[in-house]
Amino acid sequence: MSGAQIGVYGLGTMGSALALNIAGHGFDVAVSNRETDWIAPFLEEAGALAARLRGHDTLESLVADLKSPRVILFMIPSGAPMDAMIAAITPLLSPGDTVIDGGNANFHDTRRRAAALAEKDLHFVGLGVSGGEFGARNGPSMMMGGSDHSWQQLGPILRTIAAQYHGTPCVAHLGPDGAGHFVKTVHNGIEYADMQVIAELYSLLRNGAAMAPSEIGALFTAWDKGPLKSYLVEITARILGYSDPETGHPMVDVIKDAAEQKGTGRWTVIEALRMGQSASMIEAAVGARGWSSEKDTRQRAETILGGALGAFDGTPEVLAEAFLAARILCYAQGFRILAAASEEYDWSLDFAQIARIWRAGCIIRSALLDDIAEAFAGDMPEGQLILSPEFAQTLARTLPSLRQVVCSAFHGGHAVPCLSAGLAWYDSMRQGHGSANIIQAQRDVFGYHGFERLGQAGKHHGPWWE
């Protein structure tokens, strides 16, 4: 029997789904898991695909069953477990072999691991995988960072198992070392902001316009047929149509309003701030999730501060326009972060290509991504998405609605941190002459210990300590 074309270690939700996807496309897959008692049930449940799957109780056996140069995909927790696995498998590998981390890893770790393995003539790939369990099984969007050698090995498999958008696979080799994992991190940051915008619109309709969840769901269904079409809009519409079988109440009303987070959105904000970029919408979304977890504090505050809310008077048409504006601004912030990282790490990211591989399979897939890909392939003043002719025109049309929604929300006491952050960011971007001069003047005074040298640093754009 010839060796398997790829190994998959880690048979949790994502690992098992990817293994089945790969096997289902005609590749032989060697599989293993730390808890070896998972292997036999996995093979049994694979049915006819078990003929393409080969279970192994040890890492040594898994590696020995792979064709050379070997390709091993790890779907295990990031951080220390991945470092421990690299230490265990490295002595078993040969020059030219590739190790893949398919988890949500911090890209700094990916860069460190790639450099360390390169010293041994081994290759390390950071593979961002989006789409959840369904995507992993039926076709995810994948963002690969690694060497050309690894792409030659992996490309045929990844292009085959990826989501397809009009016949184009939603996967690409984006750059070396941590490029793939960084793009996936920003993808998740955009996802946080898009979800928060949806939550804020829902709250305005539910708490400010007194609409029932089913009515709001019908509105989202209508939105999903136009320029707002996206996976998140689609599933929101479906969620709002479900009832709790035990109480008969709308399902959304019996779910505790405390949203979890795994950290990738926070990583996006940290890296954006470190590179001097504004990620205000993503930061607002991360902050909102953090604040949501303090349910007891919020309930106590309601009794002390008062939780009454005023009416919201925005029409569905105005909300749709505001939603579109906010989504454009969200993507624009995300691509600015990608651009900053591309320059800092010399990745030469192709932004049109990134938009294209996000069009299917991933959580943030939306109709807007076709327009984004086209914009990056065309005239892009200053490299800014919101300055491209089409998006500048769209924002000119939709921003008045966003202003109306935010103002009405403020007057009614409704919290819209993400919508308002997007509006403030846009207004800051469009002002050629802002108010930072007063900040610089203050720095001049306390930096130079007096008014007599006011402006000597600021007027020359130099740091105040010089």
Side-chain angles (χ1 to χ4, degrees):
M1 180 184 295
S2 60
Q5 289 143 295
I6 188 171
V8 175
Y9 189 100
L11 296 177
T13 300
M14 292 292 289
S16 58
L18 280 171
L20 291 172
N21 186 356
I22 297 169
H25 283 90
F27 297 98
D28 292 324
V29 187
V31 300
S32 189
N33 195 71
R34 187 181 66 172
E35 297 85 2
T36 55
D37 57 346
W38 290 22
I39 299 172
F42 167 73
L43 295 174
E44 182 177 351
E45 293 171 9
L49 291 180
R52 290 283 185 182
L53 298 164
R54 296 133 73 135
H56 295 275
D57 290 341
T58 68
L59 194 58
E60 291 79 3
S61 175
L62 175 76
V63 171
D65 191 23
L66 297 174
K67 289 181 178 179
S68 185
R70 305 175 185 90
V71 178
I72 309 103
L73 169 61
F74 287 97
M75 298 300 297
I76 62 176
S78 298
M82 191 67 215
D83 284 327
M85 187 55 68
I86 290 173
I89 198 172
T90 298
L92 307 176
L93 301 178
S94 302
D97 291 349
T98 293
V99 174
I100 310 157
D101 180 359
N104 280 328
N106 188 303
F107 84 104
H108 290 296
D109 288 337
T110 304
R111 298 187 74 232
R112 169 178 57 79
R113 291 163 182 155
L117 288 182
E119 295 178 357
K120 299 177 173 63
D121 199 13
L122 299 172
H123 300 261
F124 189 78
V125 165
L127 182 66
V129 181
S130 179
E133 179 183 4
F134 181 86
R137 179 65 183 87
N138 299 283
S141 171
M142 291 176 288
M143 296 139 265
M144 180 190 146
S147 65
D148 291 336
H149 169 88
S150 294
W151 177 242
Q152 291 174 4
Q153 291 179 282
L154 275 172
I157 297 175
L158 298 184
R159 283 192 292 265
T160 302
I161 70 168
Q164 303 288 314
Y165 183 82
H166 295 171
T168 301
C170 292
V171 61
H173 179 205
L174 300 177
D177 51 70
H181 273 153
F182 187 83
V183 172
K184 176 59 165 57
T185 296
V186 174
H187 163 286
N188 287 17
I190 294 171
E191 176 188 327
Y192 273 50
D194 203 6
M195 293 174 77
Q196 179 64 26
V197 165
I198 289 171
E200 291 173 15
L201 295 174
Y202 167 78
S203 180
L204 289 173
L205 292 166
R206 185 79 166 110
N207 302 316
M211 290 177 63
S214 59
E215 294 178 292
I216 303 172
L219 181 58
F220 273 82
T221 297
W223 287 348
D224 196 43
K225 293 179 172 61
L228 289 169
K229 181 177 180 59
S230 72
Y231 174 69
L232 287 172
V233 170
E234 175 192 347
I235 65 170
T236 301
R238 294 174 62 185
I239 289 166
L240 294 174
Y242 283 114
S243 295
D244 176 36
E246 295 183 7
T247 64
H249 296 155
M251 182 65 75
V252 69
D253 285 352
V254 301
I255 297 174
K256 184 178 180 180
D257 65 325
E260 298 177 349
Q261 56 181 311
K262 295 183 178 179
T264 47
R266 186 165 57 246
W267 289 348
T268 306
V269 175
I270 291 170
E271 293 306 320
L273 293 176
R274 189 188 59 78
M275 294 185 294
Q277 297 297 315
S278 171
S280 59
M281 296 183 75
I282 302 171
E283 183 178 0
V286 172
R289 289 201 191 189
W291 188 227
S292 79
S293 68
E294 298 189 42
K295 178 73 172 177
D296 293 341
T297 301
R298 290 188 290 116
Q299 289 180 322
R300 179 62 174 153
E302 183 176 1
T303 64
I304 298 173
L305 304 178
L309 296 171
F312 172 75
D313 58 7
T315 66
E317 293 75 21
V318 167
L319 280 171
E321 292 283 89
F323 189 1
L324 182 57
R327 178 168 278 174
I328 292 170
L329 297 175
C330 172
Y331 277 113
Q333 286 193 359
F335 277 99
R336 276 179 57 88
I337 298 167
L338 291 175
S342 182
E343 181 176 355
E344 179 162 335
Y345 298 106
D346 195 24
W347 285 336
S348 300
L349 294 177
D350 184 332
F351 306 118
Q353 182 184 53
I354 291 171
R356 286 192 289 267
I357 66 174
W358 285 349
R359 293 180 300 181
C362 73
I363 305 300
I364 63 170
R365 59 185 183 267
S366 72
L368 198 60
L369 285 161
D370 270 327
D371 297 329
I372 292 175
E374 185 176 343
F376 275 113
D379 179 26
M380 185 69 75
E382 301 296 321
Q384 303 301 316
L385 186 64
I386 64 172
L387 300 184
S388 65
E390 180 176 350
F391 283 110
Q393 292 174 11
T394 302
L395 287 169
R397 186 191 80 240
T398 58
L399 253 296
S401 293
L402 181 57
R403 295 189 194 284
Q404 181 179 335
V405 168
V406 171
C407 287
S408 180
F410 281 176
H411 282 299
H414 299 272
V416 286
C418 203
L419 290 172
S420 58
L423 178 59
W425 182 76
Y426 173 83
D427 284 338
S428 297
M429 284 285 286
R430 70 185 181 86
Q431 294 179 14
H433 299 282
S435 57
N437 51 339
I438 189 64
I439 297 173
Q440 188 59 49
Q442 292 167 342
R443 290 171 61 86
D444 287 354
V445 170
F446 72 71
Y448 281 90
H449 308 293
F451 288 93
E452 66 277 2
R453 301 183 67 180
L454 178 62
Q456 291 191 20
K459 69 181 180 182
H460 298 299
H461 305 288
W464 58 265
W465 58 85
E466 288 183 347

